[in-house]
Amino acid sequence: MSPPSLLSLMLIFSILCHIHSTLSTNHLIQQTCKNCSETDPNISYRFCITSFQSDSKTLYVQNLTELGLISIKLIRHNVSDTITYTKKLLNKKKLDPFIKECLDDCLHVYSDALTTLREAIRDYKGKRYDDSNVKLSSVIDTSTTCEDGFNQNNGVISPLTKRNKDNFQLSAIALSIINMLNVDKLKGVF
């Protein structure tokens, strides 16, 4: 076989391997999101798929454990981004005192959530899923606590509603994956 032919075969083989890997990853994400959305009414299948597709690392995911770690890191990204956005809002000169107070409260709970997420990731990597679950449950409360603050005054619209909803769903997805892993752990799949 001539060198160009060998090179062509290697290239084709490489492309086929990449396609197979991508299809397997897509199936894992689709199946995981299907399970998450069927077991938790707070999780949208489309949101779940879109969230995972937003992270290029999901192209290389081999299993549910790796996908779970990515889901927690997606929460961390959302929380960090929300903190930055909230700080920008707080820097505005003319800000209603009630909204400023609510934003300060949100900034505080989201900052705490960031610390909690670091611990949740450490627990998750150590396969201490129950501990990670507890920490992620407190992170999911961050979004409702923030949103509830704005709801105390009728007519006030939270500028963080979409971010709070996204944080809630991302956290619910991670919790759902941890529950799947805990079930697998009990079955001895690991």
Side-chain angles (χ1 to χ4, degrees):
M1 194 174 270
S2 66
S5 298
L6 183 59
L7 185 61
S8 297
L9 282 175
M10 288 175 53
L11 182 61
I12 290 170
F13 180 74
S14 176
I15 290 170
L16 289 174
C17 287
H18 178 73
I19 289 170
H20 180 266
S21 173
T22 302
L23 290 174
S24 296
T25 298
N26 283 338
H27 179 71
L28 175 64
I29 291 170
Q30 290 170 356
Q31 191 59 48
T32 301
C33 289
K34 182 179 181 218
N35 290 344
C36 289
S37 63
E38 287 177 352
T39 58
D40 188 335
N42 295 306
I43 299 172
S44 156
Y45 174 79
R46 176 162 288 161
F47 178 88
C48 182
I49 293 287
T50 304
S51 297
F52 282 123
Q53 288 175 341
S54 72
D55 190 328
S56 62
K57 291 181 188 113
T58 57
L59 292 174
Y60 309 103
V61 168
Q62 301 284 326
N63 54 49
L64 186 61
T65 304
E66 291 175 10
L67 194 60
L69 183 59
I70 288 174
S71 73
I72 299 171
K73 289 180 178 181
L74 286 170
I75 303 166
R76 185 180 62 191
H77 176 75
N78 176 271
V79 166
S80 295
D81 192 53
T82 301
I83 290 169
T84 301
Y85 182 74
T86 304
K87 286 178 180 177
K88 283 182 188 176
L89 291 175
L90 284 166
N91 284 332
K92 290 186 176 181
K93 298 288 182 206
K94 295 181 182 181
L95 198 58
D96 177 88
F98 177 75
I99 292 175
K100 182 184 181 328
E101 182 181 335
C102 290
L103 288 171
D104 280 332
D105 290 344
C106 290
L107 181 61
H108 178 73
V109 294
Y110 270 101
S111 295
D112 287 348
L114 198 54
T115 302
T116 302
L117 280 164
R118 285 187 201 108
E119 295 169 7
I121 289 171
R122 200 170 25 252
D123 288 337
Y124 186 88
K125 286 179 176 178
K127 297 190 184 212
R128 295 181 300 278
Y129 298 130
D130 290 336
D131 294 336
S132 187
N133 185 311
V134 169
K135 290 173 177 85
L136 289 173
S137 294
S138 75
V139 171
I140 204 169
D141 290 340
T142 298
S143 47
T144 53
T145 300
C146 176
E147 198 64 27
D148 288 348
F150 288 98
N151 293 333
Q152 291 178 5
N153 190 346
N154 289 339
V156 173
I157 298 172
S158 166
L160 300 176
T161 298
K162 179 172 180 348
R163 292 168 184 277
N164 287 330
K165 286 181 180 179
D166 289 352
N167 182 62
F168 190 91
Q169 273 199 80
L170 289 168
S171 299
I173 291 166
L175 287 167
S176 184
I177 291 172
I178 287 174
N179 288 335
M180 286 183 236
L181 290 170
N182 269 334
V183 167
D184 288 346
K185 189 176 181 181
L186 292 173
K187 290 179 183 176
V189 172
F190 292 110

